Each structure stands twice: as structure tokens, then as C-alpha cells.
Amino acid sequence: MALKIRKLAFALGAEVTGLDLKQKQSDDAIAQIRQAWVDNLVLCFPGQDLGPQEQMAFCSRFGELDDHRSRPHWNRPDFPEVNIVANKPVVIGGKTLQVLIADKWHTDMSFSVRSATASFLLSKTLPPIGGDTMFANMYRAYDALSPSMQAFADTLEGVHDVSLAPDFHRYTPELQAERRRNHPPVVHKVVRLHAESGRKGIFAGGFLRNFIGYTEQESRPLIDFFNTHSTAYEFVYRHAWKQDDLLMWDNRCTMHFAVQDYDCSQLRQLQRCTLFAPVSGRFLDAGQPAAASTGMA
Ligand code: SIN
């Protein structure tokens, strides 16, 4: 079986049609999807009206599902592997879920020693217009640096801090304290080699606080440069959601940004699964328990 793949933008992104993801996919189809994902960084599967269990079944074919135990306030109570991304509090099974508005360029879970490989986001309720998500190709961003800047960036390590989350200021003081406790600052290389493509990409984003060996004040201009440079128009794809679009993106070589260009009195709700990456970072404070197998700090 050959997938029907149509590129959505020059920089990254492709649409995959001809599949009903409610059905169990063959190993061959999963291998083809994986290759298309590695090649295109973001895939859109339109018209996939999946329930939480169906979404989990598809996503788990690509790796280990994050059960989100270190950040339970966004999870469905019945299926903790399924996060709800909503701009208003949503009640499911008697549990009121925390709002999630990701309006800052970031890579999912970069504040964890096991950052994410794939994220899968399925649109459930959309505002009448707007509420797009933008994605940036971090390979292209790296390739476009001068050789001198590439060589310097290759030497840098960055500290990622959960308290720089886009909506951290919306949390209660108790939730802020819990988030800091569960996710103490971690260190990742600023340039990472992708395990499947073998290409180098910049690993920056909104959680990046400073570089090891440099103060926050010294680091800030270069962090701002990496984030601005990486999100230039020519490196970006902007996805205008349709109902039941399932997006699958590669956090190892992209960043994304949820654009708040819609009537925020309207509900925007999506459901997300995330896959654990192998351990690729370390805790800044070596005294932290290395509970990386669970994603807990
Ligand atoms: C996310 O950062 O996973 C959510 C993106 C979105 O709301 O579009």
C-alpha cells in the first residue's frame, strides 16, 4: 500500500490521505507513515474522528506514550495518556481540566530530560475562524546559520525551565510550585543530531533560560536570535485547522506556536498524545532524582 502524500509547504508539512485511522494499520503502513514524518516533520491526517482510545492505539504504534503523570491537570481522568488542549476549563468525568494556551514558540517537553519525540494533536472543537498552529523547521534554521555561528552553537548547552511556560502566569501559586517541583531545570545541547535523519537542528524555544557558563542576561540576546531566526517566514508552515485533522509532528526538529488569532469567547479544544524520547538531557542540579523512566522529575 502506498500512502497518498501531498506537501503542504516548502519548508515542512505534508498531508496524508487515504487512511482510516480507526482501523488498525499494517506494519508496512506504519513504517511508511514514520518515513513520511521523518521526511516532512509535520503530517496532517484529515477527517480522523478518533476517540481517545483510538487515538492512543494509533499513536502507540510509534513509541512509548507519555502518561503525563508529572502534569496531571490537563489529562483526561479515564485516559491519562490523552491531554486536552483547551482555551477554557473543560469538565470531563467530573474533573475540571486546566486551560492550555501555548502561544509561545516551543518544543513539547523540552523542560524534561526525556523531551518528546512525536506529538499528535486532533482537533475536536474549533472557533469559526482562526486558532491556527505554526511550525518551524529547525534543520533549515541550523543550515542557514553561518559556519562560524554553527560551530559556536555546536558547543552550547541550554537550560530549559518549566516556569517559562507560555501560560505559567495563569497557574495558581500552588500549581506553579508543583510544576517547578515536578520539573526542575534540565540541560540539553543547543544543536542536536536527529537519531533518524542524521541531520542537525537548533533546539531552542521558549523554555530556554540561559546557556551553561553564561548568565541569563548574557544569554538572552542569543536566545532571542535563535528563536527569531528559526521562525523566519521561509522556515515556517502555518496550519489552518479543520475539524478532525490529526497532526503528527517531530519535536526533535521543529518548534510550534498556537496563534491566538480567534474569538477567544469561542471554545478551541483539541486532544493530544505525546511520545517519550529516550533520555537526552540531564538535570541542572545533579542532586535531582533521575526518574527519567517515568518522565517525572
Ligand atoms: C501544543 O503546544 O501542544 C498545543 C498547540 C496548539 O494549541 O495548537
Side-chain angles (χ1 to χ4, degrees):
M1 184 220 56
L3 301 183
K4 292 195 195 98
I5 300 175
R6 179 178 71 91
K7 281 193 84 66
L8 292 168
F10 182 70
L12 72 167
E15 183 183 70
V16 181
T17 50
L19 293 174
D20 175 3
L21 299 184
K22 282 181 187 278
Q23 307 300 322
K24 183 164 190 244
Q25 301 300 313
S26 66
D27 290 346
D28 176 53
I30 295 294
Q32 288 188 49
I33 293 169
R34 186 168 196 105
Q35 191 58 53
W37 170 64
V38 170
D39 293 345
N40 294 286
L41 289 58
V42 178
L43 296 180
C44 175
F45 304 89
Q48 305 293 339
D49 177 22
L50 306 182
Q53 279 174 295
E54 290 163 331
Q55 185 171 345
M56 285 163 55
F58 175 64
C59 301
S60 62
R61 301 289 300 279
F62 298 91
E64 184 188 353
L65 282 178
D66 186 344
D67 63 8
H68 305 121
R69 71 180 64 176
S70 65
R71 47 189 200 297
H73 305 282
W74 293 265
N75 305 341
R76 287 185 64 105
D78 43 1
F79 303 108
E81 294 84 355
V82 178
N83 247 191
I84 299 299
V85 175
N87 64 333
K88 297 166 179 292
V90 171
V91 181
I92 297 181
K95 175 180 175 183
T96 304
L97 303 184
Q98 179 78 30
V99 166
L100 200 165
I101 300 176
D103 54 347
K104 197 178 194 182
W105 283 103
H106 68 285
T107 297
D108 288 335
M109 302 301 294
S110 75
F111 51 81
S112 163
V113 288
R114 294 185 86 185
S115 55
T117 52
S119 294
F120 301 81
L121 193 61
L122 175 62
S123 58
K124 285 291 172 188
T125 306
L126 294 170
I129 191 153
D132 301 351
T133 307
M134 296 199 293
F135 294 89
N137 180 331
M138 305 305 278
Y139 298 137
R140 284 186 175 272
Y142 179 80
D143 292 346
L145 295 174
S146 64
S148 304
M149 183 54 98
Q150 285 180 342
F152 179 54
D154 284 349
T155 67
L156 292 173
E157 291 186 304
V159 177
H160 293 248
D161 184 339
V162 76
S163 63
L164 298 181
D167 45 7
F168 203 79
H169 62 281
R170 296 193 189 94
Y171 306 165
T172 61
E174 293 74 25
L175 181 55
Q176 291 187 350
E178 182 189 302
R179 298 290 288 143
R180 287 198 173 97
R181 199 166 51 247
N182 283 352
H183 286 289
V186 300
V187 180
H188 289 285
K189 287 174 72 69
V190 168
V191 176
R192 306 201 313 172
L193 199 60
H194 193 287
E196 292 176 80
S197 70
R199 295 181 67 184
K200 282 183 176 178
I202 300 174
F203 195 68
F207 294 107
L208 183 52
R209 190 182 74 194
N210 65 286
F211 302 114
I212 293 288
Y214 297 88
T215 65
E216 288 183 38
Q217 201 181 5
E218 290 166 341
S219 304
R220 181 47 50 192
L222 191 51
I223 293 173
D224 289 345
F225 165 73
F226 282 137
N227 287 336
T228 306
H229 163 80
S230 304
T231 56
Y233 296 128
E234 57 269 34
F235 307 142
V236 167
Y237 165 62
R238 180 169 176 148
H239 187 72
W241 290 94
K242 294 196 183 60
Q243 184 74 33
D244 300 327
D245 277 350
L246 175 67
L247 254 58
M248 169 184 187
W249 66 84
D250 191 337
N251 287 293
R252 298 167 294 180
C253 50
T254 62
M255 295 199 295
H256 57 282
F257 183 111
V259 187
Q260 297 302 294
D261 64 339
Y262 61 98
D263 175 357
C264 296
S265 69
Q266 305 287 320
L267 180 64
R268 177 181 185 273
Q269 183 177 334
L270 307 97
Q271 67 183 30
R272 193 179 89 179
C273 291
T274 314
L275 300 184
F276 277 132
V279 174
S280 61
R282 61 183 161 81
F283 291 108
L284 179 63
D285 172 0
Q288 295 296 338
S293 61
T294 62
M296 295 280 285

